[in-house]
């Protein structure tokens, strides 16, 4: 990121002036990477938690709403049933070219 670029630029300038060695430059880079990795990880956890809390708040708002459609007093309970869908003589192609599937 920009912080790493700035830090490395300043370190390279000090190496060129003879104030730091190449080993010091590697040390600065390694320390920065060792610090930024866990901080990025914690930032990701924070973002995930805050998004989860926001989603839960939205869910509770939806659950608190009263339904717009209600059953009448003499509504008949639906009986349990099973369903089945069958595709017969179905074909698909893009623009009349070669058929992708037929069944």
């Amino acid at each position: 990121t920009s912080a790493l670029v700035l830090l490395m630029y300043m370190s390279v300038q000090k190496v060129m002036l003879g104030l730091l060695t190449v080993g010091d430059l590697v040390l600065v880079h390694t320390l920065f990477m060792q610090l930024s990795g866990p901080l990025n990880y914690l930032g990701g956890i924070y973002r995930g938690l805050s998004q989860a809390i926001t989603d839960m708040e939205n869910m509770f708002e939806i659950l608190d709403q009263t339904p717009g459609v209600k059953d009448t007093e003499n509504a008949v309970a639906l009986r349990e049933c099973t369903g089945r869908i069958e595709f017969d003589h179905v074909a698909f192609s893009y623009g009349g070219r070669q058929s992708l599937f037929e069944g």
Side-chain angles (χ1 to χ4, degrees):
T1 62
S2 57
L4 177 62
V5 170
L6 180 63
L7 183 66
M8 293 306 293
Y9 176 75
M10 291 170 52
S11 298
V12 167
Q13 281 184 331
K14 294 199 181 223
V15 168
M16 291 172 54
L17 292 173
L19 300 173
L20 292 176
T21 65
V22 175
D24 293 331
L25 178 69
V26 172
L27 175 71
V28 167
H29 180 265
T30 303
L31 285 175
F32 184 82
M33 296 311 278
Q34 289 291 323
L35 286 174
S36 66
L39 290 176
N40 285 334
Y41 178 72
L42 289 174
I45 289 175
Y46 174 76
R47 273 191 307 276
L49 286 174
S50 64
Q51 183 64 48
I53 290 170
T54 302
D55 292 343
M56 284 181 14
E57 289 173 353
N58 291 338
M59 181 185 67
F60 286 128
E61 286 177 11
I62 291 171
L63 290 174
D64 287 339
Q65 293 179 357
T66 56
V69 178
K70 295 182 181 180
D71 288 339
T72 60
E73 291 180 20
N74 58 352
V76 178
L78 294 176
R79 56 189 166 95
E80 199 171 312
C81 63
T82 59
R84 189 176 98 180
I85 298 175
E86 184 176 316
F87 294 97
D88 195 17
H89 303 293
V90 176
F92 181 79
S93 67
Y94 286 106
R97 295 181 291 194
Q98 179 182 2
S99 180
L100 297 175
F101 69 86
E102 291 183 24

